[in-house]
Amino acid sequence: MNIHQSTRTYAQQQDQTDPLRTFREQFLIPEKDGQPQLYFCGNSLGLQPKSAREAIEREMNVWQNHGVEGWFEGDQPWLYYHKYCKETLAEIVGAKPSEVCPMNNLTVNLHLMLTSFYQPKGDRTRILTVAGDFPSDQYALETHVRSRGLDPSEVILAVKPQEGEYTLQTEAILNAIRENERSLALVMMSGLHYYTGQVFNMKAIAAEAQKWGIRVGFDLAHAAGNAPLHLHDWGVDFAVWCSYKYLNSGPGGVSGSFVHEKNHDANLPRLAGWWGYDEDRRFEMTPGFVPMPGADGWQLSTPTILALAVHRASLAIFAEAGMRNLRNKSVKLTGYLEFLLKGINGEFDNPITIMTPTEPEARGCQLSLLVRKDGKKLFDDLTQNQIIGDWREPNCIRLAPTPLYNTFEEVWQVGEVIREFYQ
Ligand SMILES: *Cc1c(COP(=O)(O)O)cnc(C)c1O
């Protein structure tokens, strides 16, 4: 299937006809020795939007000029700051604005959601997840289960890939749900696996879980702003994500939560704080927790306005570009990287195994490469050539061409450096 060509001219042509080509100008590209780097690490920390500094500056000025009145005064009072992010966040994850709220940080939000949605009762105590999920999620599940007086080794059921495979078949996950439907209280897993780059079939997983009355939640750290999401329509109970990866909202920036509308009036158990209290009465400071309707009711603390300001500035770029357009470019850009790697494999006796699935529906922008030999040498060679990827011991290189700021020409350059390495 020769849809692409491995020439610089071809890559440049793709950039010239790319409807999103100007968005790169909205970002600060890290430089080394006066040269812009080829940044393929948006899966770990997205680049800084040029508008971020100004957004912080604005709130610094409000603080300087109004002090505490900044919470209530001006055209964008801090009190409602989370609301300024809702519409775009809802679009990104496929939700209603009332179902999403930027808040806290990811692992914190995961614990908060587990408190509400993990309700072991009788025989139904188990949690189904995927093997090798991100460590923080594993630790969260393990300790959360323990905090309920249960034994993680009995309760947590991790679905593994079949012998000799790197990724999971959807059917294996669905079967595991079916086979354990009586003992499962919750399905909780990544929507996009951080290591392999696989996007799980969340729609099918949510449908299967719901069929048996099992709740389902996803960690979308690698999926938000990257893969198509329709959380509301899929009937997902809850989701959490961070904003510093594809959402470009700065290191440790504010994270997000989704709570499906069907759960808003369910009077679920929760760990509450005053920022989740009914906004109109929050400052009455009366006892007895009255939650805000929707996802907002899971907020705990006074939000970090400076982090929200950056988040909002970054989300504005997503609103302008549109998730559908971003995804269209992403499929092409990652497809081009895959095409070049396959060419290299053909030329040099398959030195690289692409762990990430080939079907666009089963991946986001990241490709995870297993390098048969001298993986670290190849990675160092990429770094020397100003290509920033991500290295995982013992032999994995992850590269994430992101549609907002990476170009086809950069992808071509990556291919050239790898080809020359094997020559
Ligand atoms: C990046 C990532 C995290 C990080 O969690 P923080 O609480 O933001 O540090 C957790 N889970 C997954 C799946 C991730 O990809």
Side-chain angles (χ1 to χ4, degrees):
M1 199 173 59
N2 216 6
I3 43 166
H4 293 295
Q5 294 167 24
S6 54
T7 63
R8 186 188 280 264
T9 313
Y10 171 83
Q12 286 170 338
Q13 277 165 0
Q14 297 310 299
D15 285 326
Q16 276 154 19
T17 55
D18 166 19
L20 299 179
R21 66 189 173 280
T22 56
F23 279 88
R24 179 178 165 87
E25 292 158 21
Q26 298 201 34
F27 290 87
L28 293 159
I29 313 291
E31 293 187 356
K32 205 165 165 201
D33 311 323
Q35 290 296 317
Q37 293 185 311
L38 287 79
Y39 195 80
F40 285 84
C41 221
N43 55 339
S44 193
L45 180 67
L47 289 183
Q48 183 182 139
K50 288 179 181 165
S51 53
R53 192 176 296 266
E54 200 181 307
I56 291 183
E57 197 83 42
R58 184 190 177 279
E59 304 316 327
M60 294 299 279
N61 288 336
V62 173
W63 183 18
Q64 175 180 336
N65 296 323
H66 302 279
V68 71
E69 296 302 335
W71 287 107
F72 308 101
E73 275 193 357
D75 52 348
Q76 293 158 36
W78 295 333
L79 190 62
Y80 307 112
Y81 220 96
H82 59 287
K83 293 191 182 170
Y84 312 149
C85 300
K86 271 169 172 278
E87 207 151 307
T88 309
L89 271 183
E91 200 182 302
I92 288 171
V93 300
K96 297 184 175 185
S98 64
E99 293 173 318
V100 295
C101 189
M103 61 173 95
N104 314 309
N105 272 35
L106 199 171
T107 310
V108 171
N109 287 340
L110 180 52
H111 276 296
L112 294 178
M113 291 297 144
L114 288 173
T115 294
S116 295
F117 292 97
Y118 175 52
Q119 298 304 329
K121 251 189 229 111
D123 292 337
R124 275 190 191 246
T125 57
R126 301 177 89 191
I127 303 176
L128 185 127
T129 190
V130 289
D133 221 339
F134 196 87
S136 201
D137 301 53
Q138 293 187 42
Y139 306 149
L141 285 184
E142 175 194 329
T143 56
H144 204 95
V145 163
R146 229 178 242 133
S147 79
R148 306 290 185 93
L150 296 166
D151 179 352
S153 69
E154 285 170 12
V155 163
I156 298 171
L157 182 67
V159 187
K160 289 193 191 72
Q162 285 176 5
E163 191 68 32
E165 292 184 8
Y166 301 108
T167 52
L168 279 160
Q169 309 278 349
T170 302
E171 208 43 46
I173 302 172
L174 303 185
N175 274 337
I177 296 174
R178 271 178 225 127
E179 280 162 17
N180 297 284
E181 51 94 1
R182 281 162 186 274
S183 64
L184 285 174
L186 179 69
V187 173
M188 166 61 221
M189 57 188 271
S190 281
L192 195 165
H193 197 277
Y194 82 101
Y195 182 68
T196 65
Q198 179 179 21
V199 173
F200 298 112
N201 188 336
M202 289 174 263
K203 182 182 181 180
I205 293 166
E208 190 64 40
Q210 282 171 79
K211 208 191 280 174
W212 306 105
I214 302 160
R215 285 182 171 143
V216 57
F218 292 109
D219 183 330
L220 303 175
H222 278 259
N226 178 21
L229 297 167
H230 303 281
L231 298 181
H232 178 86
D233 290 347
W234 294 340
V236 172
D237 284 287
F238 71 91
V240 292
W241 58 89
C242 57
S243 70
Y244 49 80
K245 293 172 181 169
Y246 296 107
L247 295 178
N248 308 317
S249 302
V254 62
S255 296
S257 291
F258 163 89
V259 178
H260 197 284
E261 196 173 51
K262 66 186 173 186
N263 298 314
H264 288 185
D265 297 323
N267 204 13
L268 293 160
R270 67 175 112 195
L271 298 177
W274 76 320
W275 223 260
Y277 195 91
D278 183 13
E279 198 170 82
D280 297 332
R281 295 165 51 195
R282 186 177 301 150
F283 292 92
E284 290 173 13
M285 313 287 231
T286 46
F289 181 70
V290 183
M292 287 279 286
D296 294 12
W298 271 264
Q299 295 173 98
L300 286 183
S301 293
T302 313
T304 309
I305 295 298
L306 297 181
L308 274 175
V310 174
H311 194 34
R312 181 183 174 203
S314 178
L315 290 175
I317 301 174
F318 279 84
E320 196 188 335
M323 268 317 287
R324 197 176 295 238
N325 300 329
L326 283 168
R327 173 65 178 170
N328 283 343
K329 175 174 174 185
S330 176
V331 169
K332 278 189 207 152
L333 200 60
T334 295
Y336 189 44
L337 179 59
E338 184 184 38
F339 165 81
L340 295 170
L341 291 168
K342 282 185 173 167
I344 291 162
N345 272 340
E347 220 175 316
F348 302 103
D349 193 23
N350 300 309
I352 291 168
T353 304
I354 304 175
M355 273 192 280
T356 314
T358 293
E359 314 80 61
E361 313 79 65
R363 70 184 183 198
C365 70
Q366 171 189 319
L367 292 185
S368 304
L369 319 181
L370 278 188
V371 187
R372 180 149 38 99
K373 185 161 139 280
D374 294 334
K376 189 63 176 34
K377 265 198 199 145
L378 172 59
F379 181 75
D380 291 344
D381 191 53
L382 288 169
T383 310
Q384 288 236 316
N385 283 283
Q386 311 284 16
I387 295 160
I388 308 303
D390 169 286
W391 171 251
R392 298 262 157 188
E393 291 291 346
N395 54 1
C396 175
I397 296 173
R398 298 184 304 166
L399 296 171
T402 67
L404 272 176
Y405 48 75
N406 284 121
T407 65
F408 287 87
E409 190 172 2
E410 286 180 306
V411 169
W412 176 81
Q413 283 172 280
V414 171
E416 276 308 281
V417 169
I418 298 178
R419 213 153 66 77
E420 278 164 24
F421 179 81
Y422 287 111
Q423 224 151 28

